[in-house]
């Protein structure tokens, strides 16, 4: 280290004299000291004030320039040296050196800039202002096709520099995307796929850029899918495959890229991984099985990619995914159920699957998870059943297969995601199925649970679905017994509150259910309707100009139905409904205007 002090003193003199030979000797000595103890040597360099002199040594025509850049690259490995490098004015001359024709100068300059940018806002900002990124991208483009080892090393350094420059910085990543870095990197990957270091660097760069929404369109216009799948097929090591997975996951969020990945044969690779790893208990294998099956489910979220893989229900992929459901592996059960839920996104697929026995497979799966079951599997299987129940022709088939009984086993679940899907499944199943709606509506345990969930203020989804199912039980059954069960369980007040929902569809469902209650069982529900302030709410809905036409229409239908109750009718008279209703006779919606005339007549006759 004494020797180092002498070198630094000597360097100060030679830096001014520009004696190339002695300058080179000093730089060699510095590089040797940095190789032995980088941190301590860097501290000495910073203390000596020599950094400021380096700026004047970074000149294209000097034979020592590459070594100066190398010293800067080495000291900038230390976090504490990055801002001093910026403050010493080194960025501008380094960026100028990017225009050099000398390969060694370019290599060391790329390293120096990359290290100064690493995790350093000041470093990145200075490189940005000096215009360094564009020059590096231009180099990548022009050197892209040359495959000799020295050039590949330079390309690797330049890729690393761009990564350090833009990592976790959205605006700099967006800048690189606008400069057209994506097609260049994809081309690099294709040409240099034999070079492990360069390939790895491209993958990390893709992983960073793919997180940005604006990158997806650019990626979709390249052959990235093909290149990644080709590379994936060659990989044997877990770590390398994991790197590719990290790029595939964000890219596969884009529907166009989903389809490209399917066409490039990614699905076959994923199925193979699942087959290889399914029985392994090694941590790496379990992780890879999860990643592969999750990615498989993600690919099915795109309409075109999903339909391509469904192949009319005859496809190999669809059949393989079906075989995951009865497996003993929770991750595969989950992925299988989620995949079915994704395949069940149009009527044709749903009808085919129900006709081919998928419902029984899902019910068996649910059965295995009733007691202390896996919540994610329960949620996924219920999601699949809910989607399958949407086509009208499937409802009766699923009801007779015993789906309601299978679903009701989860009524005691305390997990909101499971509760939410359970409610949605039942609501889909009873749509226009009077008998099933009546059977469920008379199930006191179910109705009491629904009333309880109508108060789940922490879980808006569960609360909304409970209200909607309560209303659906009345609307589809039109049964006095169902209404009595709901009145006895305290459900009326929730239906009245639902009429004030911010969602028109829910308001409407509530009003139709309340009108049926008033028509079929007004005496039983009278007290609860009074306590819930229904008449005041209806007055408010009719007076509010923002209320949708169907809300006004159904509110008036309900007013007429309530006149059969003395106490409720008195409330109607007290609130001067005539004024509000007569104004609606000139409403632009014909149905509303007609109903206003009818309602006005009723109010006038009965007064």
């Amino acid at each position: 280290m004494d020797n180092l002090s002498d070198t630094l003193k000597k360097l100060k003199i030679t830096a001014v004299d520009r004696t190339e030979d002695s300058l080179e000797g000093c730089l060699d000595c510095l590089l040797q000291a940095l190789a032995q103890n980088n941190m301590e040597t860097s501290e000495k360099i910073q203390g000596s004030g020599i950094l400021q002199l380096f700026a004047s040594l970074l000149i294209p025509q000097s034979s020592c320039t590459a070594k100066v850049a190398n010293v800067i690259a080495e000291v900038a490995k230390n976090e504490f040296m990055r801002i001093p490098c910026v403050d010493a004015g080194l960025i501008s001359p380094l960026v100028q050196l990017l225009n050099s024709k000398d390969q060694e100068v370019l290599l060391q300059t790329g390293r120096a800039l990359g290290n100064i940018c690493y995790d350093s806002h000041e470093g990145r900002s200075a490189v940005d202002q000096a215009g360094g990124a564009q020059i590096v991208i231009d180099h990548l483009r022009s050197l892209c096709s040359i495959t000799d080892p020295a050039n590949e090393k330079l390309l690797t350094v330049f890729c690393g520099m761009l990564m350090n420059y833009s990592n976790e910085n959205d605006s700099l990543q967006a800048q690189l995307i606008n400069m057209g870095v994506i097609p260049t990197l994809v081309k690099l990957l294709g040409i240099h796929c034999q070079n492990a270091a360069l390939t790895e660097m491209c993958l990390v760069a893709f992983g960073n850029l793919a997180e940005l929404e604006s990158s997806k369109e650019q990626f979709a216009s390249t052959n990235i899918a093909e290149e990644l799948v080709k590379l994936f097929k060659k990989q044997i090591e877990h770590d390398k495959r994991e790197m590719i997975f990290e790029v595939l996951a964000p890219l596969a969020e884009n529907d166009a890229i989903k389809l490209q990945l399917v066409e490039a044969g990614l699905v076959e690779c994923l199925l193979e991984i699942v087959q290889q790893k399914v029985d392994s208990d090694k941590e790496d294998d379990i992780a890879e099985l999860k990643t592969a099956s999750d990615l498989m489910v993600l690919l099915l979220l795109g309409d075109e990619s999903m339909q391509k893989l469904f192949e009319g229900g005859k496809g190999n992929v669809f059949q393989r995914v079906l075989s995951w459901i009865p497996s003993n592996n929770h991750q595969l059960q989950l992925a299988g159920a989620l995949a079915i839920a994704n395949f069940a996104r149009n009527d044709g697929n749903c009808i085919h699957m129900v006709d081919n026995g998928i419902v029984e497979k899902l019910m068996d799966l649910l059965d295995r998870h009733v007691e202390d079951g896996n919540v994610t599997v329960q949620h996924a299987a219920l999601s699949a059943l809910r989607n399958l129940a949407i086509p009208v022709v499937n409802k009766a088939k699923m009801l007779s297969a015993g789906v309601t009984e299978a679903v009701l086993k989860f009524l005691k679940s305390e997990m909101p995601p499971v509760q939410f899907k359970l409610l949605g499944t039942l609501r889909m199943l009873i749509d226009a199925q009077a008998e099933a709606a009546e059977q469920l509506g008379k199930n006191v345990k179910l109705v009491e649970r629904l009333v309880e969930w109508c108060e789940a203020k922490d879980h808006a989804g569960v609360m909304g679905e409970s209200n909607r199912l309560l209303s659906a039980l009345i609307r589809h059954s039109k049964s006095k017994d169902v209404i009595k069960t709901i009145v006895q369980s305290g459900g009326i007040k929730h239906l009245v509150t639902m009429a004030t929902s911010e969602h028109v569809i829910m308001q409407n469902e509530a009003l139709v259910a309340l009108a049926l209650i008033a028509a079929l069982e007004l005496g039983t529900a009278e007290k609860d309707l009074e306590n819930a302030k229904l008449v005041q709410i209806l007055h408010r809905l009719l007076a509010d100009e923002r209320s949708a036409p169907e809300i006004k229409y159904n509110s008036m239908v309900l007013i007429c139905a309530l006149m059969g109750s003395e106490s409720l009718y008195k409330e109607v008279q007290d609130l001067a409904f005539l004024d509000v209703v007569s104004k609606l006779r000139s409403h632009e919606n014909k149905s509303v205007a007609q109903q206003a005339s009818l309602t006005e007549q009723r109010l006038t006759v009965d007064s």
Side-chain angles (χ1 to χ4, degrees):
M1 280 297 162
D2 292 345
N3 191 8
L4 177 62
S5 303
D6 295 343
T7 303
L8 290 169
K9 282 175 195 160
K10 195 173 169 190
L11 189 56
K12 277 187 179 175
I13 300 160
T14 48
V16 179
D17 296 352
R18 300 278 167 90
T19 336
E20 300 264 325
D21 291 351
S22 45
L23 186 57
E24 192 154 356
C26 291
L27 291 167
D28 284 338
C29 197
L30 272 188
L31 286 167
Q32 209 173 341
L34 283 162
Q36 282 167 357
N37 190 333
N38 191 317
M39 198 170 175
E40 204 175 318
T41 307
S42 296
E43 282 169 349
K44 282 263 168 86
I45 290 172
Q46 190 188 3
S48 71
I50 199 96
L51 272 182
Q52 279 71 10
L53 291 175
F54 281 173
S56 63
L57 297 176
L58 290 167
I59 43 174
Q61 50 273 45
S62 162
S63 62
C64 298
T65 304
K67 280 187 179 164
V68 178
N70 189 358
V71 171
I72 297 168
E74 288 301 317
V75 300
K77 285 178 177 176
N78 301 286
E79 192 181 345
F80 67 87
M81 288 300 285
R82 289 170 200 148
I83 292 176
C85 284
V86 175
D87 293 343
L90 299 181
I91 300 296
S92 188
L94 281 168
V95 168
Q96 290 305 310
L97 285 178
L98 288 172
N99 297 306
S100 166
K101 298 278 179 278
D102 183 311
Q103 201 162 26
E104 184 61 20
V105 169
L106 287 174
L107 184 78
Q108 299 304 344
T109 304
R111 284 184 63 233
L113 288 168
N115 289 352
I116 292 170
C117 284
Y118 184 78
D119 232 354
S120 161
H121 169 71
E122 293 76 8
R124 292 167 179 183
S125 197
V127 174
D128 178 22
Q129 280 161 8
Q134 185 66 65
I135 305 171
V136 172
I137 290 176
D138 292 342
H139 274 307
L140 288 177
R141 269 196 206 109
S142 61
L143 301 170
C144 184
S145 306
I146 307 165
T147 54
D148 67 82
N151 187 60
E152 290 193 320
K153 192 176 177 186
L154 180 58
L155 289 169
T156 307
V157 164
F158 278 158
C159 281
M161 184 237 140
L162 288 180
M163 252 176 43
N164 288 354
Y165 170 70
S166 66
N167 189 29
E168 290 184 354
N169 183 313
D170 287 359
S171 67
L172 292 179
Q173 287 178 351
Q175 180 197 71
L176 294 184
I177 290 166
N178 291 335
M179 288 174 177
V181 74
I182 287 173
T184 307
L185 289 174
V186 174
K187 197 172 167 192
L188 269 181
L189 183 70
I191 296 171
H192 302 275
C193 56
Q194 303 303 327
N195 184 304
L198 183 49
T199 298
E200 204 161 304
M201 212 47 101
C202 284
L203 287 173
V204 178
F206 290 147
N208 286 347
L209 296 169
E211 296 293 341
L212 221 62
E213 210 38 57
S214 60
S215 72
K216 307 269 172 49
E217 266 179 52
Q218 275 215 20
F219 274 119
S221 66
T222 68
N223 63 336
I224 181 83
E226 205 181 312
E227 293 298 353
L228 287 174
V229 173
K230 203 159 57 181
L231 191 65
F232 192 85
K233 285 176 178 169
K234 288 182 195 159
Q235 303 308 324
I236 308 154
E237 293 167 52
H238 168 77
D239 293 351
K240 293 276 163 52
R241 291 215 288 227
E242 197 173 4
M243 278 189 84
I244 302 173
F245 272 139
E246 278 170 15
V247 180
L248 287 169
L251 284 181
E253 285 167 12
N254 175 281
D255 281 0
I257 300 174
K258 281 186 183 80
L259 189 59
Q260 291 168 7
L261 289 168
V262 167
E263 286 171 344
L266 178 62
V267 173
E268 288 70 17
C269 300
L270 298 176
L271 290 172
E272 203 174 313
I273 288 175
V274 168
Q275 204 167 353
Q276 287 166 3
K277 313 290 180 186
V278 66
D279 297 321
S280 170
D281 47 13
K282 277 200 239 152
E283 213 171 301
D284 278 358
D285 290 347
I286 293 168
E288 200 165 345
L289 175 81
K290 178 175 172 17
T291 309
S293 54
D294 284 350
L295 187 52
M296 181 78 206
V297 171
L298 182 57
L299 290 175
L300 292 172
L301 274 173
D303 287 340
E304 282 187 81
S305 49
M306 177 273 287
Q307 213 48 46
K308 192 175 177 66
L309 294 170
F310 189 65
E311 291 182 63
K314 306 274 187 290
N316 168 44
V317 175
F318 174 64
Q319 296 303 328
R320 289 278 282 280
V321 167
L322 272 188
S323 72
W324 294 354
I325 294 174
S327 103
N328 290 320
N329 182 306
H330 279 190
Q331 174 57 34
L332 279 195
Q333 292 172 359
L334 170 65
L338 287 172
I340 296 303
N342 285 345
F343 279 127
R345 284 210 317 280
N346 64 52
D347 283 7
N349 292 5
C350 288
I351 293 164
H352 177 90
M353 287 193 277
V354 169
D355 287 346
N356 284 275
I358 188 67
V359 170
E360 290 69 19
K361 285 188 169 68
L362 289 166
M363 280 165 42
D364 288 346
L365 176 60
L366 275 175
D367 236 20
R368 294 160 72 180
H369 287 277
V370 175
E371 299 303 326
D372 311 318
N374 181 307
V375 173
T376 50
V377 175
Q378 293 171 0
H379 179 259
L382 288 167
S383 295
L385 286 171
R386 181 199 175 280
N387 289 3
L388 290 166
I390 293 171
V392 178
V393 294
N394 281 357
K395 297 181 196 294
K397 293 173 187 171
M398 291 175 72
L399 288 166
S400 61
V403 173
T404 37
E405 293 75 11
V407 169
L408 286 170
K409 289 176 186 171
F410 295 91
L411 206 52
K412 52 182 184 287
S413 170
E414 292 304 331
M415 295 311 222
V418 174
Q419 295 167 354
F420 180 72
K421 286 297 175 189
L422 172 151
L423 293 163
T425 307
L426 291 176
R427 189 165 62 78
M428 283 302 154
L429 280 169
I430 63 164
D431 190 4
Q433 306 295 310
E435 202 181 313
E438 181 163 9
Q439 206 179 343
L440 279 180
K442 292 192 293 193
N443 180 330
V444 178
K445 266 193 185 148
L446 168 65
V447 173
E448 284 176 349
R449 194 72 159 131
L450 291 183
V451 170
E452 182 190 327
W453 286 341
C454 282
E455 288 164 11
K457 298 217 170 9
D458 294 344
H459 303 287
V462 173
M463 198 162 88
E465 276 294 341
S466 301
N467 278 302
R468 292 189 78 186
L469 183 53
L470 263 188
S471 155
L473 292 170
I474 296 169
R475 287 182 298 111
H476 298 303
S477 71
K478 300 182 176 57
S479 152
K480 291 183 169 208
D481 289 340
V482 169
I483 294 170
K484 283 175 186 164
T485 309
I486 290 172
V487 171
Q488 281 154 11
S489 304
I492 296 296
K493 61 180 180 198
H494 298 299
L495 290 170
V496 175
T497 307
M498 183 182 168
T500 63
S501 164
E502 56 187 333
H503 305 289
V504 174
I505 190 163
M506 285 176 68
Q507 278 186 295
N508 221 13
E509 287 171 359
L511 291 169
V512 173
L514 289 164
L516 282 164
I517 293 169
L520 298 168
E521 273 299 322
L522 186 52
T524 315
E526 185 178 49
K527 210 80 217 112
D528 288 355
L529 293 171
E530 268 181 70
N531 293 338
K533 308 258 186 297
L534 173 62
V535 174
Q536 288 88 324
I537 285 168
L538 292 173
H539 189 275
R540 212 162 59 229
L541 288 175
L542 287 172
D544 188 346
E545 286 174 11
R546 292 165 304 175
S547 293
E550 59 268 40
I551 300 304
K552 291 189 187 297
Y553 177 86
N554 282 322
S555 296
M556 288 188 282
V557 170
L558 183 47
I559 287 293
C560 295
L562 293 177
M563 290 185 189
S565 152
E566 209 173 307
S567 55
L568 290 166
Y569 178 48
K570 187 176 181 318
E571 286 187 24
V572 171
Q573 283 178 313
D574 293 348
L575 271 174
F577 264 83
L578 259 174
D579 301 349
V580 189
V581 172
S582 57
K583 280 181 193 160
L584 292 174
R585 282 200 345 239
S586 55
H587 196 280
E588 58 187 2
N589 182 296
K590 274 202 182 118
S591 303
V592 172
Q594 281 170 348
Q595 186 57 44
S597 295
L598 288 171
T599 309
E600 189 181 34
Q601 280 168 21
R602 286 290 305 274
L603 288 167
T604 319
V605 169
D606 291 350
S607 64

